[in-house]
């Protein structure tokens, strides 16, 4: 409803979009310029969490309207009751919220997080996992690519919007394989050159899948489309080079290449971590963005003593 001043009023109980997930109803009350005000209703015993690994670095504010929930940060537990608030800006640790009774709170955030709850995105995530498994990867391939990409993105000081896009783009990078015929995707041997041409369409298909689903972030589609481009222009589908490739796509390209090299495929055995690391280093500045390689090498030793899986 618009009044004479052109302001829009929401009627009681009206939201821009409402999504229900396990034990939780979420309603987007307002959204402008990346800032969102989201109403959460958590049923008793349900939990919710926010954390720095998602890449949020903007301002975040939580205001309890009704009920009671406990917040756990590391070993500290605090109880929030109606009227209490929490400024969660610059999170350094995961915050776990547990509703002790039915609880309602407002979550104000400078990141566009609401889409994260949507059924469209949940469906896309499941699809991405299914296609990777069909392609011979383990179930946590998408998650692993996401986590490593985010660690590099944070080290490279991407801003919070770029990190959000990297978060989605890295998880969904191979979603276009859903359009690659199964006899090509699952072929237990080397692909013919015609089949390889079809396989090389998957980044373009991925962009199309996101566009067809009205995915709201063009930059995410670009990450998916560019994840097989190579720094020196020898990649596909467009042969982009250097700065023409988004930094986020350059990050996914290194992480995904390493993961592919260290995974057993039907047509070849996996390389060892040392061999794969040497391959990535060999491609520094030619196949791969040099700065991304430097950060990747630096974090490899941080992650479980050199093991990333
Ligand atoms: Fe791919
Ligand atoms: Fe992949």
């Amino acid at each position: 409803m618009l009044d004479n001043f052109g302001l829009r009023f929401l009627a009681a109980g009206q939201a821009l979009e409402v999504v229900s997930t396990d034990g939780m109803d979420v309603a987007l009350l307002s959204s402008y310029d990346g800032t969102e005000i989201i109403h959460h209703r958590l049923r008793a015993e349900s939990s919710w969490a926010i954390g720095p690994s998602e890449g949020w670095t903007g301002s975040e504010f939580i205001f309890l309207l009704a009920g009671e929930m406990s917040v756990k940060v590391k070993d500290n537990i605090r109880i929030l009751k109606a009227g209490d608030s929490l400024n969660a800006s610059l999170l350094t640790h995961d915050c776990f919220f547990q509703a002790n009774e039915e609880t309602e709170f407002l979550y104000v955030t400078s990141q566009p997080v609401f889409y994260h709850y949507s059924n469209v995105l949940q469906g896309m995530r499941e699809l991405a996992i299914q296609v990777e498994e069909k392609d011979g990867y383990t179930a946590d391939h998408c998650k692993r690519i996401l986590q490593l990409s985010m660690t590099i993105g944070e080290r490279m000081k991407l801003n919070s919007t770029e990190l959000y896009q990297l978060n989605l783009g890295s998880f969904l990078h191979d979603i276009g394989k859903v359009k690659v015929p199964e006899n090509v995707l699952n072929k237990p041997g080397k692909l013919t050159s015609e089949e390889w041409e079809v396989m090389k369409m998957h980044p373009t298909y991925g962009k199309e899948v996101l566009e067809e689903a009205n995915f709201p972030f063009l930059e995410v589609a670009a990450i998916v489309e560019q994840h097989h481009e190579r720094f020196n222009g020898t990649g596909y589908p467009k042969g982009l080079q250097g700065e023409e490739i988004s930094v986020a796509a350059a990050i996914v390209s290194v992480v995904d290449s390493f993961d592919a090299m260290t995974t057993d495929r039907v047509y070849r055995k996996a390389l060892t971590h040392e061999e794969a690391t040497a391959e990535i280093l060999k491609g520094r500045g030619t196949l791969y963005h040099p700065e991304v390689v430097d950060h990747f090498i630096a974090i490899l030793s941080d992650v479980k003593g050199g093991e990333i899986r």
Side-chain angles (χ1 to χ4, degrees):
M1 180 211 303
L2 287 178
D3 77 352
N4 293 339
F5 304 101
L7 292 171
R8 190 158 69 119
F9 292 99
L10 294 176
Q14 191 187 357
L16 302 177
E17 213 180 321
V18 183
V19 174
S20 291
T21 59
D22 285 350
M24 181 163 87
D25 298 315
V26 193
L28 182 62
L29 299 182
S30 172
S31 167
Y32 181 72
D33 208 13
T35 295
E36 294 182 341
I37 302 175
I38 307 170
H39 178 270
H40 286 67
R41 184 193 304 274
L42 274 185
R43 288 186 267 291
E45 311 299 324
S46 305
S47 54
W48 180 70
I50 49 176
S53 58
E54 296 288 317
W56 317 141
T57 53
S59 70
E60 299 190 271
F61 180 74
I62 288 157
F63 180 80
L64 232 74
L65 298 167
E68 180 188 295
M69 65 181 183
S70 47
V71 192
K72 185 167 180 242
V73 185
K74 289 177 85 182
D75 291 330
N76 297 321
I77 297 183
R78 201 181 130 187
I79 302 289
L80 291 179
K81 293 181 184 254
D84 288 344
S85 61
L86 186 74
N87 197 331
S89 296
L90 304 175
L91 283 175
T92 50
H93 296 91
D94 289 330
C95 279
F96 294 101
F97 300 84
Q98 173 93 33
N100 301 331
E101 53 191 75
E102 176 155 318
T103 302
E104 281 181 60
F105 64 95
L106 290 179
Y107 175 35
V108 183
T109 169
S110 66
Q111 298 307 314
V113 298
F114 188 78
Y115 194 76
H116 238 75
Y117 293 121
S118 76
N119 297 332
V120 177
L121 186 58
Q122 295 308 339
M124 290 265 178
R125 283 209 179 95
E126 282 161 27
L127 190 62
I129 294 170
Q130 281 168 21
V131 291
E132 291 281 38
E133 283 180 10
K134 235 191 232 171
D135 195 26
Y137 286 95
T138 48
D140 57 352
H141 170 78
C142 295
K143 209 167 152 203
R144 208 162 49 230
I145 302 291
L146 164 82
Q147 283 169 344
L148 280 172
S149 296
M150 291 301 285
T151 307
I152 297 176
E154 280 160 22
R155 287 180 62 109
M156 291 181 74
K157 308 251 179 308
L158 299 194
N159 68 37
S160 46
T161 307
E162 291 165 332
L163 286 171
Y164 182 72
Q165 293 157 357
L166 177 62
N167 185 303
L168 298 179
S170 56
F171 198 92
L172 302 175
H173 67 281
D174 270 341
I175 198 157
K177 285 180 184 166
V178 71
K179 289 195 180 190
V180 173
E182 289 215 15
N183 60 331
V184 175
L185 198 59
N186 293 324
K187 187 172 175 188
K190 265 211 176 321
L191 299 179
T192 64
S193 56
E194 292 81 41
E195 288 165 340
W196 180 233
E197 287 309 312
V198 175
M199 191 63 176
K200 276 164 60 180
M201 287 298 291
H202 80 270
T204 312
Y205 291 154
K207 181 185 172 221
E208 287 169 11
V209 168
L210 298 186
E211 283 171 354
E212 284 157 15
N214 290 325
F215 208 75
F217 309 106
L218 281 178
E219 297 83 355
V220 177
I223 297 171
V224 171
E225 189 186 24
Q226 295 176 5
H227 78 275
H228 284 285
E229 298 289 1
R230 294 293 179 249
F231 196 68
N232 58 6
T234 57
Y236 59 87
K238 290 187 173 161
L240 301 179
Q241 49 179 291
E243 305 304 311
E244 292 172 341
I245 305 165
S246 81
V247 173
I251 293 172
V252 176
S253 133
V254 169
V255 174
D256 191 42
S257 297
F258 184 85
D259 209 84
M261 287 177 207
T262 51
T263 301
D264 276 325
R265 309 311 306 261
V266 268
Y267 51 89
R268 60 147 178 76
K269 287 287 293 166
L271 300 186
T272 64
H273 281 246
E274 292 68 35
E275 289 165 341
T277 308
E279 281 298 309
I280 296 289
L281 269 174
K282 210 163 83 187
R284 183 187 184 280
T286 51
L287 298 179
Y288 309 117
H289 190 302
E291 213 188 315
V292 174
V293 171
D294 294 344
H295 287 287
F296 179 74
I297 298 297
I299 63 160
L300 264 190
S301 51
D302 293 354
V303 190
K304 289 187 200 152
E307 295 288 316
I308 62 158
R309 55 178 74 209

